[in-house]
Amino acid sequence: MIRRLAPSALLVLLALLTLPFVAHALSRPVLALAGEAEALGRLFHPGAWLANGAIYGHMLSGGVITLLVPLQLLPVIRRRAPRLHRVSGYLLAGLALVTGIAGLVYIALKGTIGGPWMSFWFGLYGLLMILAAVATVRHARNRDFARHRRWALRLMVLAVASFLYRVHYGLWFMATGGIGVEDFHGAFDRAMVWAFYLPYLAALELWFRRARRLRPA
Ligand code: HEM
């Protein structure tokens, strides 16, 4: 019983833990759209409607998928409400596409605070999110549910990775007071731009391999 319920409990716990970050991601563009452009701080560029629109859309859609993608994976919804799972799946994949594409547009127009190094790794993050969203839907439509499940899990890792990025900084500050953090150009900053998603994706691939090995022939 506990073994059966543990994955669902962990998914709900993960969604709850993201709440403060989700509130941060959603509130800033909402305040900006309500006329308080300064809510976006340095991410707001007077007159640059495409870059501003991209970062608004990016933060709104990103906030929603951070909270809802883990809940989309709840087995109880998949089993008891398959229609809801399908409809919300299309919606979340669409929002993941918006998050990735809008992030890439913003990078192309304005770069990132950490310079080309950060832009490269964030660019790869955006491309992977787009790939995972497309592949998750494509395999579901082809009724290849083993692949669909693997891509859905990759999408979940990517959807919560932006939250994990902030968690890494929080823990690092608590442990070291911020060694290697220098306005997005320190050693820690330069490692974190890939370490918030690649190690988690790699761990997931190892887990898939192990599950394949253990599966009876
Ligand atoms: C998964 C959900 C995501 C959420 C919730 C999210 C949220 C945010 C938030 C809140 C900011 C504003 C900075 C801050 O206040 O901390 C931001 C900035 C940014 N995000 Fe995302 N993001 C997500 C995914 C992505 C992806 C996939 C990309 C890659 C294309 C990306 C690229 C960027 C860039 C380039 C910035 C501006 C960086 C800078 O120069 O400061 N984000 N994001």
Side-chain angles (χ1 to χ4, degrees):
M1 179 75 168
I2 290 181
R3 260 177 88 94
R4 206 162 54 81
L5 289 182
S8 301
L10 285 176
L11 288 169
V12 173
L13 179 66
L14 178 61
L16 290 175
L17 287 173
T18 67
L19 275 174
F21 170 62
V22 170
H24 163 76
L26 297 181
S27 64
R28 289 177 64 196
V30 167
L31 284 173
L33 287 170
E36 292 181 42
E38 62 281 6
L40 279 185
R42 62 175 175 78
L43 293 173
F44 178 78
H45 307 272
W49 61 269
L50 184 56
N52 291 337
I55 203 76
Y56 289 168
H58 167 77
M59 287 164 75
L60 288 171
S61 54
V64 174
I65 64 167
T66 305
L67 178 66
L68 295 186
V69 168
L71 300 179
Q72 172 74 6
L73 269 60
L74 283 174
V76 65
I77 298 186
R78 279 198 330 258
R79 271 198 314 266
R80 300 252 173 102
R83 219 181 126 79
L84 173 65
H85 178 79
R86 227 176 6 249
V87 173
S88 53
Y90 277 117
L91 190 74
L92 291 174
L95 289 174
L97 281 182
V98 173
T99 307
I101 293 170
L104 291 177
V105 168
Y106 183 83
I107 293 173
L109 294 174
K110 297 289 169 193
T112 57
I113 190 165
W117 177 254
M118 181 178 186
S119 298
F120 172 79
W121 290 106
F122 270 58
L124 179 63
Y125 176 43
L127 289 175
L128 288 174
M129 183 169 287
I130 292 167
L131 174 69
V134 171
T136 303
V137 171
R138 192 164 70 89
H139 292 306
R141 290 179 65 88
N142 291 341
R143 308 193 71 72
D144 184 345
F145 293 114
R147 285 204 171 85
H148 168 66
R149 181 174 164 275
R150 285 200 294 275
W151 278 104
L153 286 167
R154 291 176 185 123
L155 182 59
M156 187 196 72
V157 166
L158 291 164
V160 298
S162 282
F163 157 71
L164 295 173
Y165 183 64
R166 276 74 179 180
V167 171
H168 288 182
Y169 271 88
L171 294 175
W172 188 249
F173 265 95
M174 278 198 284
T176 71
I179 294 173
V181 178
E182 287 161 39
D183 201 17
F184 295 91
H185 288 83
F188 183 77
D189 301 313
R190 292 171 67 78
M192 271 317 107
V193 292
W194 54 266
F196 71 102
Y197 64 98
L198 283 184
Y200 297 102
L201 286 178
L204 192 59
E205 296 309 315
L206 289 177
W207 185 62
F208 290 154
R209 259 199 208 186
R210 187 166 167 272
R212 260 198 295 264
R213 257 205 331 267
L214 294 180
R215 199 178 307 137

